[in-house]
Amino acid sequence: YRRGGYNGLPFGGEEDYRWEILRRGTLGGWWTLLTNKFILGVFNLVFISLFQNLLLLYIASPSVVAWSMAMKRTHCDNDEGVQNLSSLNALDGIAATIFLFALCIECMADNQQ
């Protein structure tokens, strides 16, 4: 069982408890604007639908740069204008290790919810 998720088949979860807090307006301040259903819908459209998709795009953009550089290296007839592009090195290993460490921390934090 995990907190959050969706109601109904096949999900069988419950809504995240923070949404109810926002709908009741118990946080005060600017958050009380979200008690209005129209403003909450606009917030969902702008923040949830658009902004989070942009974040996902920015997360994936380094892989697009790496792919385009790899394609540039394989499709070049000569090496003019191509910087030293080699295979994986120590910096790639460090980046992968940091990523895996952060992923493990995120997974543990998700289960502590």
Side-chain angles (χ1 to χ4, degrees):
Y1 174 78
R2 295 195 86 148
R3 177 170 250 173
Y6 301 96
N7 289 328
L9 296 173
F11 305 110
E14 66 182 32
E15 184 179 57
D16 192 331
Y17 64 96
R18 294 170 286 196
W19 285 113
E20 183 60 32
I21 292 171
L22 286 176
R23 274 195 292 274
R24 281 186 286 162
T26 56
L27 293 176
W30 290 98
W31 295 107
T32 56
L33 288 174
L34 295 178
T35 57
N36 183 322
K37 287 189 178 212
F38 176 75
I39 293 176
L40 182 63
V42 171
F43 175 75
N44 279 330
L45 177 69
V46 173
F47 178 71
I48 306 298
S49 299
L50 299 176
F51 183 69
Q52 288 189 348
N53 281 316
L54 285 175
L55 284 177
L56 291 173
L57 175 68
Y58 294 146
I59 288 170
S61 61
S63 62
V64 173
V65 172
W67 175 79
S68 65
M69 292 301 289
M71 291 297 105
K72 183 177 180 182
R73 178 71 174 170
T74 58
H75 296 304
C76 264
D77 293 334
N78 56 15
D79 287 338
E80 293 177 22
V82 177
Q83 297 175 351
N84 185 14
L85 298 174
S86 60
S87 60
L88 296 176
N89 56 31
L91 185 59
D92 296 319
I94 292 170
T97 303
I98 291 172
F99 169 77
L100 291 173
F101 178 72
L103 181 65
C104 288
I105 289 175
E106 184 177 347
C107 290
M108 288 187 292
D110 284 345
N111 286 325
Q112 292 174 357
Q113 194 186 89

